[in-house]
């Protein structure tokens, strides 16, 4: 029988294989834990027992949690954004159990960790058999479920680009600089003056080939507001990062545009609503030119929605209703801040807040300069990323009678 000189591991160009390698290492540590359980009654907290306890502590304290983060922050959300039909149904069943398993293992590890720390320093020989059994059994079942369903689904559904994205995220989590594809490795030569470089990468060469879904005229609903609602729910289900974040672009009286990110608070047949300070830059621009363009970009789903229309202030009753639904501290912040106006320092901002809080108490009053805007859409475009930049674009245009006409646009 021969042993390799070192434990080989797949590189991050094979992220699913890396996850399986992590499972194998976890299995070794679980076996060490079980061996320690059998060792202690016979030999006590001797040198071998202390080394075994230290090894298990080191792995589960410093490495195992990275595996959980890989799944929770990258693998599972990417699968949820990609899976359809039976795969999506299976994920809906599996993901809550996987997340619950992570929480159970974390709780069990806290209990076992305190016992191992005392064994590691030789002050105790106590290691609960029931605690170890529960921890090992939960982990073992968890890994089998992931290898049987999650890993196989990812290998079947993910594109090479998605695999690269997953591998890069795993590297960053471990403090490793992600490997660049060969096409992105800069050559040792002078670059043309019009090529911007960031972190060694030519920005013009940064490309992601989309391919998770398609969009046909038959896919979309006749009502664009209903279609927006459908996509918004899918973004929520896929755990898109801040699906309610949208860019609001406005133009001042001189035709100079500006944009910023705000959070949508409501959408219905009347339009799309957000809240802000009426005296802010966007408020002043909307007063001069009451038209705006909204943009939602859900990168995890390779989708964007562009919305254009006229803007009006919401009724005072609506502004009151939302203002008083906010946390008291947020209400006070809205009172204290003259949004977009210059101020000398952060300390002055804090002083203004304290002054507003002293006056407002626990029942602030909505200031007249703070409230809602609603964009009444006349044009809504749904964009789905496709391969080779041959994207799908379906646009709705509102007609004079209030009806909508949809058509396909070229990418």
């Amino acid at each position: 029988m021969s042993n390799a000189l070192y434990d080989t591991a797949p590189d991050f160009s094979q992220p699913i294989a890396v996850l399986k390698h992590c499972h194998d290492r976890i299995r070794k540590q679980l076996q060490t834990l079980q061996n320690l359980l059998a060792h202690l009654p016979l030999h006590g907290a001797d040198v071998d027992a202390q080394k075994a306890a230290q090894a298990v502590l080191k792995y589960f304290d410093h490495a195992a949690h990275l595996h959980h983060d890989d799944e929770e922050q990258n693998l599972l959300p990417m699968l949820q954004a990609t899976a359809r039909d039976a795969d999506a149904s299976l994920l809906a069943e599996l993901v809550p159990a996987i997340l619950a398993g992570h929480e159970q293992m974390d709780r069990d590890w806290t209990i076992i960790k305190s016992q191992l720390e005392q064994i590691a320093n030789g002050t105790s020989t106590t290691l609960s058999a029931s605690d170890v059994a529960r921890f090992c059994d939960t982990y073992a079942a968890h890994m089998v479920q992931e290898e049987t369903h999650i890993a196989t689904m990812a290998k079947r559904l993910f594109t090479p680009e998605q695999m690269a994205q997953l591998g890069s995220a795993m590297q960053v989590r471990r403090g490793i600089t992600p490997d660049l594809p060969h096409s992105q490795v800069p050559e040792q030569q002078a670059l043309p003056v019009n090529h911007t470089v960031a972190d060694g990468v030519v920005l013009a060469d940064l490309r992601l080939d989309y391919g998770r879904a398609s969009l046909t005229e038959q896919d979309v609903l006749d009502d664009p507001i209903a279609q927006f609602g459908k996509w918004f729910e899918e973004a929520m289900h896929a755990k898109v990062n801040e699906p309610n974040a949208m860019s609001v672009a406005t133009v001042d009286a001189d035709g100079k545009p500006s944009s910023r990110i705000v959070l949508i608070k409501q959408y219905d047949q009347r339009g799309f609503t957000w809240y802000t300070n009426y005296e802010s830059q966007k408020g002043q621009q909307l007063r001069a030119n009451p038209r705006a363009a909204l943009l939602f970009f859900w990168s995890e789903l390779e989708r964007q929605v562009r919305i254009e229309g006229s803007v009006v202030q919401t009724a005072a009753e609506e502004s009151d209703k939302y203002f008083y639904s906010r946390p008291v501290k947020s209400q006070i912040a809205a009172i204290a801040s003259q949004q977009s106006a210059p101020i000398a320092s952060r300390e002055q901002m804090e002083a203004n807040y304290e002054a507003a809080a002293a006056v407002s108490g626990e029942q602030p009053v909505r200031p007249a300069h703070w409230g809602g805007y609603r964009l009444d859409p006349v044009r809504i475009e749904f964009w789905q990323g496709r391969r080779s930049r041959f994207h799908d674009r379906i646009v709705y245009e509102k007609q004079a009678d209030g009806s909508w006409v949809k058509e396909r646009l070229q990418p």
Side-chain angles (χ1 to χ4, degrees):
M1 179 178 178
S2 63
N3 295 314
L5 292 178
Y6 59 93
D7 185 15
T8 59
D11 63 35
F12 287 92
S13 66
Q14 302 172 289
I16 303 303
V18 172
L19 292 174
K20 176 59 168 61
H21 179 74
C22 291
H23 281 181
D24 292 341
R25 295 184 65 191
I26 290 171
R27 288 186 173 99
K28 290 180 180 179
Q29 295 301 327
L30 294 178
Q31 185 60 57
T32 298
L33 189 58
Q34 292 169 325
N35 293 344
L36 178 60
L37 187 64
H39 179 93
L40 287 169
L42 299 175
H43 307 285
D46 62 4
V47 173
D48 287 340
Q50 291 178 40
K51 289 182 178 179
Q54 291 164 4
V56 176
L57 281 166
K58 181 179 179 180
Y59 186 80
F60 283 104
D61 263 352
H62 300 290
H65 68 91
L66 296 173
H67 179 62
H68 290 178
D69 290 344
D70 291 336
E71 296 168 358
E72 293 183 9
Q73 298 179 29
N74 300 105
L75 176 58
L76 294 178
M78 288 175 66
L79 275 175
Q80 289 172 316
T82 305
R84 296 291 184 270
D85 303 325
D87 289 325
S89 298
L90 180 59
L91 278 177
E93 177 183 342
L94 292 179
V95 169
I98 290 172
L99 299 181
H102 286 173
E103 293 179 358
Q104 181 63 53
M105 288 182 283
D106 289 343
R107 288 193 296 268
D108 290 342
W109 171 242
T110 300
I111 296 170
I112 294 173
K113 178 182 176 180
S114 63
Q115 300 173 29
L116 289 174
E117 288 173 338
Q118 295 180 62
I119 296 169
N121 62 29
T123 61
S124 173
T125 60
T126 300
L127 185 58
S128 167
S130 60
D131 291 339
V132 169
R134 184 174 61 251
F135 184 65
C136 292
D137 289 348
T138 303
Y139 244 119
H142 178 81
M143 291 186 291
V144 168
Q145 186 180 60
E146 289 184 342
E147 291 167 7
T148 303
H149 300 292
I150 300 301
T152 55
M153 187 184 298
K155 286 191 286 188
R156 177 165 48 83
L157 297 183
F158 283 177
T159 64
E161 292 81 11
Q162 287 173 296
M163 286 295 188
Q165 179 185 349
L166 176 59
S168 294
M170 292 166 65
Q171 286 176 286
V172 170
R173 184 164 293 114
R174 289 157 177 79
I176 304 170
T177 302
D179 296 327
L180 293 174
H182 179 72
S183 63
Q184 292 183 358
V185 176
E187 298 181 7
Q188 298 300 314
Q189 61 184 34
L191 291 168
V193 294
N194 62 336
H195 280 197
T196 304
V197 179
D199 197 23
V201 181
V202 180
L203 297 191
D205 289 342
L206 286 175
R207 297 182 178 91
L208 177 64
D209 204 15
Y210 301 116
R212 292 179 184 165
S214 62
L215 186 66
T216 69
E217 291 82 347
Q218 291 70 42
D219 290 333
V220 294
L221 303 174
D222 290 334
D223 180 0
I225 305 299
Q227 178 62 35
F228 177 85
K230 179 176 181 290
W231 268 23
F232 191 85
E233 288 180 5
E234 290 175 3
M236 294 283 287
H237 175 73
K239 293 181 168 40
V240 166
N241 183 38
E242 292 201 285
N244 55 333
M246 63 182 183
S247 168
V248 176
T250 53
V251 177
D252 67 14
D254 296 325
K256 186 175 77 172
S258 62
S259 64
R260 74 289 291 163
I261 299 295
V262 304
L263 301 180
I264 188 173
K265 294 302 177 182
Q266 184 182 8
Y267 65 89
D268 53 32
Q269 291 298 325
R270 298 174 300 167
F272 299 80
T273 302
W274 70 97
Y275 292 85
T276 189
N277 188 313
Y278 291 143
E279 300 302 322
S280 64
Q281 182 195 51
K282 58 184 169 294
Q284 294 177 38
Q285 291 182 345
L286 286 170
R287 192 156 51 243
N289 187 346
R291 296 175 182 83
L294 312 179
L295 172 65
F296 292 85
F297 179 51
W298 299 317
S299 62
E300 295 90 337
L301 297 177
E302 298 171 351
R303 289 174 174 174
Q304 60 178 316
V305 184
R306 300 171 59 191
I307 306 168
E308 300 169 11
S310 57
V311 180
V312 297
Q313 293 184 8
T314 59
E317 294 77 10
E318 286 186 75
S319 295
D320 284 343
K321 183 177 180 180
Y322 176 68
F323 183 81
Y324 295 120
S325 73
R326 307 176 86 209
V328 171
K329 290 184 178 180
S330 296
Q331 296 176 17
I332 294 172
I335 296 170
S337 174
Q338 297 179 35
Q339 192 177 107
S340 301
I343 194 166
S345 65
R346 177 75 193 190
E347 288 73 19
Q348 184 60 56
M349 286 172 54
E350 299 288 354
N352 291 351
Y353 179 91
E354 294 301 328
V359 173
S360 301
E362 291 300 313
Q363 294 183 318
V365 176
R366 179 180 69 87
H369 63 258
W370 194 97
Y373 283 111
R374 178 176 294 112
L375 182 142
D376 180 12
V378 296
R379 185 182 189 277
I380 304 179
E381 178 188 325
F382 296 87
W383 179 99
Q384 176 69 61
R386 297 294 301 275
R387 293 194 182 282
S388 303
R389 295 296 182 266
F390 222 50
H391 309 306
D392 286 325
R393 298 174 63 188
I394 304 294
V395 65
Y396 296 75
E397 299 274 0
K398 183 178 282 188
Q399 306 302 297
D401 63 358
S403 63
W404 292 91
V405 172
K406 63 182 176 181
E407 61 182 347
R408 175 176 290 272
L409 300 180
Q410 298 182 57

